[in-house]
Amino acid sequence: MTTRVWDYLEEYAAERKDILDAVETVFSSGRLVLGASTHGFEREFAAYHGMPHCVGVDNGTNAIKLALQALGVRPGDEVVTVSNTAAPTVVAIDSVGAKPVFVDIDPDTYLMDTAQVASAVTARTRCLLPVHLYGQCVDLAPLRTVAAEHGLALLEDCAQAHGARHDGVLAGTTGDAAAFSFYPTKVLGAYGDGGAVLVRGDDTAARLRRLRYYGMEERYYVVETPGHNARLDEVQAEILRRKLPRLDAYVAARRAVAERYAEGLAGTGLVLPALAPGNDHVYYVYVVRHPERDRILQALREHDIDLNISYPWPVHTMSGFAGLGVPAGSLPVTESLAGQIFSLPMYPSLAPAVQDRVIGVLREVLAAL
Ligand SMILES: *Cc1c(COP(=O)(O)O)cnc(C)c1O
């Protein structure tokens, strides 16, 4: 049987009654769109974070897109972010007509090199968009300083960092807004697509609610600024409500998987994930590094172990972003990393026996290189 890098079927078997009850709750509620489940989940997700507002949307990409618009990012504005991220971070910036400006990453944590941000700011910069990548937080203190100095918005991409903390502070509670995805693989995952934005400002929250609802107030049928249809689905919202109280347990299970890897793979020459000072990692993915990456992947595939790469192509090297004119070689750490990283199986219900087989095969493969 193929060992997959992510799987939800064991979790579903354990939670099946609750998930199906969530579906039944919505179907029999008499209200299938923007009902009690969406509004309830928004309250509970905001409360988990101690934030005043949460606005549920249809996916993480639109969470970023609508948040950028609500924060006042306009066509032609610049948004500072990283190229070592999931493409949707950059797709969302592009979709509002703004220009992504990339800084390089830290060679150990693979997170945004915050020391490079100030020099990336120009007269057109409107927003800083750090990505809490792989499950650990970017230190936002230096970004807050730059944002305050230049009057910029700070938007956190939290799609990979539900429950992650820096110096005890939860991801998504420092910036002006924070975008979450509930894509099934994420640390808090739906059974389909979903997303949300945490927001501090009342006006920004009100703008977000209009932006996801054609540009209208929910009970006032006039469009003042045309928006989108980007509502969180009621069924997914109810499922997320059921899963939110288990978020800390999912994270604990992921940490146990990470610890088992750290013990099992010590001394093999594989570079294991580095924790930045002050960080509590939630291990959305378990990313390791080795210069012989492609040979390792090939050998593991022969043992029916299917690994993933997050991400094989830095966004600025993708053909769809050639128009940005960011030449190859301009982000050396990002570019050299892309050829060396790969992700080991990681999900809360990963069985220790399955994990031990992955560790055993990896040790053999590495020893034979
Ligand atoms: C998953 C992800 C997104 C996009 O979320 P979707 O729900 O798939 O649209 C955005 N940014 C990052 C960093 C992600 O990992």
Side-chain angles (χ1 to χ4, degrees), residues 58-64 85-90 131-134 157-160 179-183 185-186 193-195 284 311:
D58 54 349
N59 57 62
T61 309
N62 279 339
I64 300 169
T85 182
T89 309
V90 185
V131 181
H132 301 309
L133 199 73
Y134 304 151
D157 183 340
C158 293
Q160 305 191 358
F180 288 82
S181 164
F182 306 116
Y183 184 78
T185 63
K186 308 292 185 182
D193 280 306
Y284 166 59
Y311 296 90

Coordinates of all heavy atoms in Angstrom, one line a residue, residues 58-64 85-90 131-134 157-160 179-183 185-186 193-195 284 311, ligand 1:
D58 N -14.9 31.8 1.2 CA -15.0 30.5 0.5 C -13.6 29.7 0.4 O -13.7 28.5 0.1 CB -15.6 30.7 -0.9 CG -15.0 31.7 -1.7 OD1 -14.1 32.5 -1.3 OD2 -15.3 31.8 -2.9
N59 N -12.5 30.4 0.5 CA -11.2 29.7 0.5 C -10.1 30.7 1.0 O -10.4 31.9 1.2 CB -10.9 29.1 -0.9 CG -10.9 30.2 -2.0 OD1 -10.1 31.1 -1.9 ND2 -11.9 30.1 -2.9
G60 N -8.9 30.1 1.1 CA -7.8 30.9 1.6 C -7.3 32.0 0.6 O -6.9 33.0 1.0
T61 N -7.4 31.6 -0.7 CA -6.9 32.6 -1.7 C -7.8 33.8 -1.6 O -7.3 35.0 -1.6 CB -7.0 32.0 -3.1 OG1 -6.3 30.7 -3.0 CG2 -6.3 32.8 -4.1
N62 N -9.1 33.6 -1.6 CA -10.0 34.8 -1.5 C -9.9 35.5 -0.1 O -10.2 36.7 0.0 CB -11.5 34.4 -1.8 CG -11.7 34.3 -3.3 OD1 -10.9 34.9 -4.1 ND2 -12.7 33.5 -3.7
A63 N -9.5 34.8 0.9 CA -9.3 35.4 2.2 C -8.2 36.5 2.1 O -8.4 37.6 2.5 CB -8.9 34.4 3.3
I64 N -7.1 36.1 1.4 CA -6.0 37.1 1.1 C -6.5 38.2 0.2 O -6.3 39.4 0.5 CB -4.8 36.4 0.5 CG1 -4.3 35.3 1.5 CG2 -3.7 37.4 0.2 CD1 -3.3 34.3 0.8
T85 N 6.6 30.3 -1.2 CA 5.2 30.1 -0.6 C 4.4 29.4 -1.5 O 4.8 29.1 -2.7 CB 4.6 31.5 -0.3 OG1 3.3 31.3 0.4 CG2 4.4 32.3 -1.5
A86 N 3.2 29.0 -1.1 CA 2.2 28.4 -2.0 C 1.8 29.5 -3.0 O 1.6 30.7 -2.6 CB 1.0 28.0 -1.2
A87 N 1.7 29.1 -4.3 CA 1.4 30.1 -5.3 C 0.2 31.0 -5.0 O 0.2 32.2 -5.3 CB 1.1 29.4 -6.6
P88 N -0.9 30.5 -4.3 CA -2.1 31.4 -4.0 C -1.8 32.7 -3.3 O -2.5 33.6 -3.5 CB -3.0 30.5 -3.2 CG -2.3 29.2 -2.9 CD -1.2 29.1 -3.9
T89 N -0.7 32.7 -2.5 CA -0.3 34.0 -1.8 C -0.2 35.0 -2.9 O -0.7 36.2 -2.8 CB 1.0 33.8 -1.0 OG1 0.9 32.7 -0.2 CG2 1.3 35.1 -0.2
V90 N 0.6 34.7 -3.9 CA 0.9 35.6 -5.0 C -0.2 35.8 -6.0 O -0.4 36.9 -6.5 CB 2.2 35.2 -5.7 CG1 2.7 36.2 -6.7 CG2 3.3 34.9 -4.6
V131 N 4.3 35.3 5.3 CA 3.7 33.9 5.3 C 4.2 33.1 6.5 O 5.4 32.9 6.5 CB 3.9 33.2 4.0 CG1 3.2 31.9 3.9 CG2 3.5 34.1 2.8
H132 N 3.4 32.7 7.4 CA 3.8 31.8 8.5 C 3.9 30.4 7.9 O 3.0 29.5 8.0 CB 2.8 31.8 9.6 CG 2.6 33.2 10.2 ND1 3.7 34.0 10.6 CD2 1.5 33.9 10.5 CE1 3.2 35.2 11.1 NE2 1.9 35.1 11.0
L133 N 5.1 30.1 7.3 CA 5.2 29.0 6.4 C 5.5 27.7 7.1 O 6.2 27.7 8.1 CB 6.3 29.3 5.4 CG 6.4 28.4 4.1 CD1 5.2 28.8 3.2 CD2 7.7 28.5 3.4
Y134 N 4.9 26.6 6.6 CA 5.1 25.2 7.1 C 4.6 25.0 8.5 O 4.6 23.9 9.0 CB 6.6 24.8 7.1 CG 7.3 25.0 5.8 CD1 8.7 25.3 5.7 CD2 6.6 24.8 4.6 CE1 9.3 25.4 4.5 CE2 7.3 24.9 3.3 CZ 8.7 25.2 3.3 OH 9.3 25.3 2.1
D157 N -0.4 35.9 6.3 CA -0.9 34.7 5.6 C -0.8 33.5 6.6 O 0.3 33.0 6.8 CB -0.2 34.4 4.3 CG -0.7 33.2 3.6 OD1 -1.4 32.4 4.2 OD2 -0.4 33.1 2.3
C158 N -1.9 33.1 7.2 CA -1.9 32.1 8.3 C -2.4 30.7 7.7 O -2.8 29.9 8.5 CB -2.8 32.5 9.4 SG -2.2 34.0 10.3
A159 N -2.4 30.5 6.4 CA -3.0 29.3 5.8 C -2.3 28.1 6.4 O -2.9 27.0 6.3 CB -2.9 29.4 4.3
Q160 N -1.1 28.2 6.8 CA -0.3 27.0 7.3 C -0.1 27.0 8.8 O 0.8 26.3 9.3 CB 1.0 26.9 6.5 CG 0.8 26.9 5.0 CD 2.0 26.5 4.2 OE1 3.1 26.3 4.8 NE2 1.9 26.4 2.9
A179 N -5.3 36.1 7.1 CA -6.0 35.2 6.2 C -5.8 33.8 6.5 O -4.6 33.3 6.6 CB -5.7 35.5 4.8
F180 N -6.8 33.0 6.7 CA -6.7 31.5 6.9 C -7.4 30.8 5.8 O -8.4 31.2 5.2 CB -7.5 31.2 8.2 CG -6.8 31.6 9.5 CD1 -6.9 32.9 9.9 CD2 -6.0 30.8 10.2 CE1 -6.3 33.4 11.1 CE2 -5.3 31.2 11.3 CZ -5.4 32.5 11.8
S181 N -6.8 29.6 5.5 CA -7.4 28.6 4.6 C -7.9 27.4 5.4 O -7.2 27.0 6.4 CB -6.4 28.2 3.6 OG -6.9 27.0 2.9
F182 N -9.0 26.8 5.1 CA -9.4 25.5 5.7 C -9.4 24.4 4.7 O -10.2 23.5 4.8 CB -10.8 25.7 6.4 CG -10.8 26.8 7.4 CD1 -11.6 27.9 7.2 CD2 -10.0 26.9 8.5 CE1 -11.7 29.0 8.1 CE2 -10.0 27.9 9.4 CZ -10.8 29.0 9.2
Y183 N -8.6 24.6 3.6 CA -8.4 23.5 2.7 C -8.2 22.2 3.4 O -7.5 22.3 4.5 CB -7.2 23.9 1.8 CG -6.9 22.9 0.7 CD1 -7.7 23.0 -0.5 CD2 -5.9 22.0 0.7 CE1 -7.4 22.1 -1.5 CE2 -5.6 21.1 -0.3 CZ -6.4 21.2 -1.4 OH -6.1 20.3 -2.5
T185 N -6.2 19.8 3.8 CA -4.9 19.4 4.3 C -4.4 20.3 5.4 O -3.4 19.9 6.2 CB -3.7 19.4 3.2 OG1 -3.6 20.8 2.8 CG2 -4.0 18.5 2.1
K186 N -5.0 21.4 5.6 CA -4.5 22.4 6.6 C -4.6 21.9 8.0 O -5.4 21.0 8.3 CB -5.2 23.7 6.4 CG -5.2 24.3 5.0 CD -3.8 24.7 4.4 CE -4.0 25.3 3.0 NZ -2.8 25.7 2.4
D193 N -13.6 23.2 0.5 CA -12.9 24.5 0.6 C -13.5 25.4 1.7 O -14.7 25.3 2.0 CB -13.1 25.2 -0.7 CG -12.0 24.8 -1.7 OD1 -10.8 24.8 -1.4 OD2 -12.4 24.4 -2.9
G194 N -12.7 26.2 2.2 CA -13.2 27.2 3.2 C -12.0 28.2 3.5 O -10.9 27.9 3.3
G195 N -12.4 29.3 4.1 CA -11.4 30.3 4.5 C -12.0 31.3 5.5 O -13.2 31.3 5.7
Y284 N 2.5 22.0 9.9 CA 1.6 21.8 8.8 C 2.2 20.8 7.8 O 1.6 19.9 7.3 CB 1.2 23.1 8.1 CG 0.6 22.9 6.8 CD1 -0.6 22.2 6.7 CD2 1.2 23.4 5.6 CE1 -1.2 22.1 5.4 CE2 0.6 23.2 4.4 CZ -0.6 22.6 4.3 OH -1.2 22.4 3.1
Y311 N 8.2 24.1 -1.8 CA 7.6 24.1 -3.1 C 8.7 23.9 -4.2 O 9.8 24.5 -4.0 CB 6.8 25.3 -3.4 CG 5.6 25.4 -2.4 CD1 5.8 26.0 -1.2 CD2 4.4 24.7 -2.7 CE1 4.7 26.0 -0.2 CE2 3.4 24.8 -1.8 CZ 3.6 25.4 -0.5 OH 2.6 25.4 0.4
Ligands
LIG1 C1 -3.3 26.8 1.1 C2 -2.6 28.1 1.1 C3 -3.3 29.3 0.5 C4 -4.6 29.1 -0.2 O1 -5.7 28.5 0.4 P1 -6.8 27.9 -0.5 O2 -7.9 27.7 0.6 O3 -6.3 26.7 -1.1 O4 -7.3 28.9 -1.5 C5 -2.7 30.5 0.6 N1 -1.5 30.6 1.2 C6 -0.8 29.6 1.7 C7 0.5 29.8 2.3 C8 -1.3 28.3 1.6 O5 -0.6 27.3 2.1

